[in-house]
Amino acid sequence: DTFQTSHLLLYERFKAYQDYMLGDCKPSEVKAFTADYLEKVVEPCDWQALWCTNVFDVLVEVYDVDLKDLKACVRLVLPLQCDTRGCELTEEAMESLLEATQHKVPLQELHVVYEVSGDFDQTALALEHLRFFYKHIWRQWDEEDEDDDFDYFVRCVEPRLRLHYDILEDRVPTGLVAEYQTLLEKCSQCFQQFSALRSGLSPDSDSELDNVSMVEGLKLYDQLETYKRKLHIIENPLLRYVLGYKGNARQQCVQSRGPRPSGMKVVHVVTASCSTMQLQSLLSARLLPLCSCGDTEIQFHREPVSAVDSCHQGDVVIVLPGIYSVNSSILIPDSITMEGKKKKKTTTFISSPLRLSQISLFLQSLTAGLCVRQGTLNMENCVLQCETTGVIVRTSARLNMNMCDLYGSKGAGVEIYPGSVCSLVSNGIHHCKDGILIKDFADELDVMPSITLENNVIHNNEGYGVILVKPNTGDQHRAPLDSGEEDPAGQTAEDRQPGGVSDHPLTSTSSSSSSSAGSTTAAVQPESTEHSNSTDGDLAPISGRKWQFSRQLSRNKEMSCSRAVQDLTDHQIFVSIQGNQFKRNGMGDFGTFFY
């Protein structure tokens, strides 16, 4: 039996790396700091461990450690005790292997054998921290950062550690996780190619071959920096949330099929099973009217994805009562009709544009909840229980959402892109990360989004009721407080500096209700006596831009609604705002995020 250490919690690893192993070291000092830490806690000899590789697990005894190279000197425990995978190993073969490695094996590959005495508890824990660090945190290119004068823990370790646990706890969309893993592989391959090319260059050579290699090296370097920037965006929780996930290739390239060449239309019936009475009711109420002309066919499906994927323009999808688990995005590029047939009545949702009515959607572990990429989606009397983003309205798309209930999103309830048209009337949007997130990117903005916001109740969201993401033009100033009103620092409106928002880059997160371990004080001064928030991640390597929050938080419910509406009406993207209620949103009713 070995020590079981893989179950450690985030704060346990956080504290170990920050307080004991890495401290405030620079990237170039990581190995030295790690060796110093191991020297203090790892027993130098006379302990047993499993040497674990992809091919075998074998019991060995450690008789010395070489902490500078992070290796241990080992010998076999006889008689030989090992588990193999796909091969057979003998004592002679293992002895030959150890002789080839001078009896030295990496410390990361050693799992300490459990002893009830407790003498090797700290050794086992230290090797777990070492193993986890080099598997999940350390990158080959970290040591070669040109800007080496920064706190490695703050810039790299903390965001990567938090991302790892966010992925474990399903707080990151599956598509974004896949993109992150792909980027890591591409970046690693690019770094290896760049390193191999660089090592082959002669510093004093002017040959044509070396000149060509130099050009190729510059291209690889630029590509490597691009990959590193993309990885940093995903690793930083604020950028990951605000800038969002662009979707996979299939979603980007999906195209309308148009009508069938034969002119035939198909009715797709979705049901796992149905009774004779249900089938008879469906036949008389819907199928016979739809199939009155001779060019209509009926097809049966067990789940909605296959039905929609089989649709051409003008087809009808009828979903019979039941709970359907969908593990991928449903893409609807064509104008179709969808109907949800309940036990006592039939509800129709008409496409051209597509209309969803009286349907409950449970959106779990998807890249995005419900994404309108083009065309129009009308939703009425629907319930959306989300785990990622609720509804995304892309550029040139249109959403009309009336009398719906949307909740539970770990991102924004509704995410609105530039150039879209969005009408939200009489909806409840609550218990999300943010209620409504509006993206106003200057480099993508041809026309501003057009938003109607009427009679909605936006409440109990973790962040803002409505948050607007805008580029930082340098002209933003914080809204002044009423005369004589004090901010948390004790200053009145007259005492405060013009603009009010500090121009320091954001560094990390803290909150008055629950401050994160190791977080630093943010540069943004909050405007509420109830909350104190900043943002995650050191953004200095991303660009020269500085990130700021502008927030207007109210002191009571009456001021909350009136001030939020006043803030909203200041933006030309809103066509109409009336009758909305904002209640108990954690960071305020309305905020602007400058990047």
Side-chain angles (χ1 to χ4, degrees):
D1 293 336
T2 59
F3 285 92
Q4 300 302 307
T5 52
S6 58
H7 61 280
L8 295 179
L9 301 177
L10 168 64
Y11 80 91
E12 293 175 305
R13 297 192 191 276
F14 187 103
K15 184 176 180 63
Y17 292 133
Q18 184 184 49
D19 295 347
Y20 303 112
M21 183 168 166
L22 300 174
D24 58 354
C25 72
K26 302 174 184 178
S28 59
E29 299 171 333
V30 166
K31 290 184 179 179
F33 272 61
T34 301
D36 289 343
Y37 163 69
L38 295 176
E39 185 177 5
K40 297 173 184 176
V41 295
V42 173
E43 292 292 331
C45 61
D46 299 330
W47 47 278
Q48 292 186 349
L50 277 183
W51 178 20
C52 300
T53 69
N54 294 330
V55 180
F56 59 80
D57 299 340
V58 62
L59 185 63
V60 296
E61 181 183 357
V62 175
Y63 62 86
D64 194 12
V65 290
D66 182 0
L67 298 177
K68 183 178 179 181
D69 293 331
L70 301 180
K71 291 186 176 182
C73 298
V74 303
R75 53 175 167 255
L76 290 178
V77 174
L78 300 178
L80 180 67
Q81 302 178 52
C82 68
D83 289 329
T84 60
R85 290 174 282 277
C87 66
E88 292 185 6
L89 288 177
T90 63
E91 180 181 330
E92 292 76 15
M94 287 304 305
E95 289 288 2
S96 299
L97 178 60
L98 286 175
E99 288 178 6
T101 61
Q102 298 180 339
H103 286 260
K104 291 185 177 181
V105 300
L107 283 171
Q108 299 99 288
E109 296 180 0
L110 295 180
H111 296 254
V112 181
V113 172
Y114 177 75
E115 280 199 13
V116 71
S117 66
D119 293 341
F120 304 114
D121 290 7
Q122 292 302 315
T123 297
L125 197 59
L127 295 190
E128 168 61 25
H129 290 316
L130 179 70
R131 185 162 42 247
F132 183 93
F133 175 76
Y134 279 101
K135 183 177 180 179
H136 299 291
I137 306 297
W138 178 255
R139 309 283 184 250
Q140 295 171 295
W141 48 88
D142 285 349
E143 200 172 21
E144 301 203 3
D145 199 311
E146 293 181 355
D147 178 21
D148 187 55
D149 191 17
F150 62 84
D151 189 325
Y152 181 71
F153 177 86
V154 172
R155 178 172 304 184
C156 299
V157 177
E158 180 178 357
R160 291 172 186 171
L161 186 61
R162 293 188 184 279
L163 174 61
H164 176 81
Y165 277 89
D166 283 345
I167 292 174
L168 285 183
E169 296 167 9
D170 293 325
R171 290 199 292 263
V172 181
T174 53
L176 187 56
V177 175
E179 180 178 340
Y180 182 67
Q181 298 297 336
T182 301
L183 280 172
L184 274 177
E185 292 176 6
K186 289 182 178 179
C187 195
S188 179
Q189 293 172 2
C190 185
F191 178 77
Q192 291 172 5
Q193 293 173 3
F194 175 74
S195 299
L197 187 63
R198 180 179 57 184
S199 62
L201 291 175
S202 174
D204 300 325
S205 174
D206 292 329
S207 67
E208 183 177 348
L209 183 60
D210 277 351
N211 289 337
V212 172
S213 298
M214 184 72 73
V215 173
E216 291 297 321
L218 291 174
K219 290 181 180 179
L220 286 172
Y221 178 80
D222 289 340
Q223 190 176 33
L224 181 63
E225 290 300 309
T226 300
Y227 287 143
K228 288 164 66 175
R229 282 193 294 271
K230 290 181 177 179
L231 286 171
H232 190 88
I233 288 176
I234 298 177
E235 291 167 352
N236 182 284
L238 179 64
L239 302 188
R240 179 168 71 242
Y241 167 59
V242 172
L243 300 184
Y245 171 61
K246 299 302 183 182
N248 59 39
R250 176 172 175 258
Q251 292 172 329
Q252 297 293 337
C253 67
V254 64
Q255 295 181 349
S256 173
R257 296 180 181 180
R260 286 182 176 81
S262 63
M264 177 179 291
K265 293 186 178 180
V266 176
V267 178
H268 305 267
V269 180
V270 180
T271 179
S273 64
C274 66
S275 66
T276 306
M277 293 296 294
Q278 284 179 317
L279 188 58
Q280 185 177 359
S281 174
L282 177 65
L283 186 64
S284 60
R286 297 300 298 141
L287 295 184
L288 288 178
L290 287 171
C291 302
S292 57
C293 53
D295 59 346
T296 304
E297 178 182 301
I298 300 175
Q299 295 181 6
F300 286 86
H301 304 265
R302 296 186 64 87
E303 41 86 24
V305 175
S306 63
V308 173
D309 286 347
S310 302
C311 283
H312 283 251
Q313 183 173 323
D315 283 2
V316 177
V317 178
I318 300 176
V319 185
L320 296 189
I323 299 174
Y324 303 93
S325 177
V326 179
N327 297 316
S328 61
S329 299
I330 299 180
L331 309 175
I332 309 177
D334 290 286
S335 176
I336 64 174
T337 299
M338 298 187 69
E339 299 181 1
K341 189 177 188 308
K342 297 187 178 181
K343 293 183 178 179
K344 295 186 178 180
K345 63 181 279 189
T346 299
T347 301
T348 303
F349 1 169
I350 305 166
S351 185
S352 184
L354 176 66
R355 183 170 182 233
L356 304 180
S357 178
Q358 298 190 37
I359 191 168
S360 296
L361 300 176
F362 300 90
L363 308 172
Q364 299 177 334
S365 302
L366 299 179
T367 296
L370 188 62
C371 185
V372 189
R373 296 186 175 275
Q374 57 185 1
T376 301
L377 172 63
N378 296 324
M379 299 182 65
E380 186 172 338
N381 288 320
C382 291
V383 176
L384 283 84
Q385 178 182 335
C386 313
E387 282 198 354
T388 52
T389 295
V391 181
I392 297 178
V393 191
R394 294 285 191 180
T395 300
S396 301
R398 179 186 292 266
L399 170 68
N400 298 315
M401 182 171 163
N402 301 328
M403 295 181 290
C404 295
D405 189 34
L406 192 160
Y407 63 95
S409 171
K410 293 175 183 175
V414 180
E415 190 171 313
I416 303 171
Y417 274 71
S420 62
V421 178
C422 187
S423 174
L424 304 175
V425 179
S426 302
N427 302 289
I429 303 174
H430 55 99
H431 294 92
C432 301
K433 171 74 174 178
D434 288 303
I436 301 170
L437 186 146
I438 305 162
K439 297 187 176 182
D440 180 5
F441 298 152
D443 55 348
E444 297 182 14
L445 186 56
D446 295 323
V447 293
M448 290 187 296
S450 176
I451 302 172
T452 299
L453 204 63
E454 297 179 355
N455 302 321
N456 299 283
V457 181
I458 304 173
H459 65 96
N460 289 101
N461 295 291
E462 179 184 341
Y464 294 94
V466 179
I467 181 170
L468 178 66
V469 181
K470 293 177 66 68
N472 185 0
T473 61
D475 299 329
Q476 290 78 18
H477 298 285
R478 192 167 66 175
L481 298 175
D482 295 336
S483 178
E485 183 180 353
E486 290 189 359
D487 68 9
Q491 297 174 313
T492 63
E494 291 83 353
D495 295 331
R496 298 197 328 180
Q497 299 276 340
V501 179
S502 171
D503 60 357
H504 296 291
L506 298 174
T507 53
S508 64
T509 302
S510 64
S511 172
S512 60
S513 58
S514 59
S515 59
S516 300
S519 63
T520 59
T521 302
V524 182
Q525 294 294 331
E527 295 189 26
S528 170
T529 58
E530 300 176 357
H531 301 277
S532 174
N533 295 274
S534 57
T535 51
D536 285 306
D538 185 344
L539 309 186
I542 290 288
S543 70
R545 285 181 175 176
K546 297 176 181 179
W547 300 68
Q548 302 171 348
F549 255 128
S550 173
R551 302 182 299 180
Q552 296 84 34
L553 303 183
S554 305
R555 299 187 181 279
N556 54 53
K557 293 180 181 179
E558 291 77 12
M559 290 180 63
S560 175
C561 185
S562 61
R563 178 173 290 187
V565 171
Q566 179 60 45
D567 292 333
L568 293 174
T569 55
D570 291 340
H571 295 274
Q572 299 177 359
I573 58 179
F574 295 97
V575 176
S576 172
I577 304 177
Q578 60 182 7
N580 300 287
Q581 298 182 49
F582 295 83
K583 301 178 181 179
R584 298 181 295 277
N585 294 298
M587 293 178 67
D589 303 323
F590 178 73
T592 305
F593 179 81
F594 298 111
Y595 71 96

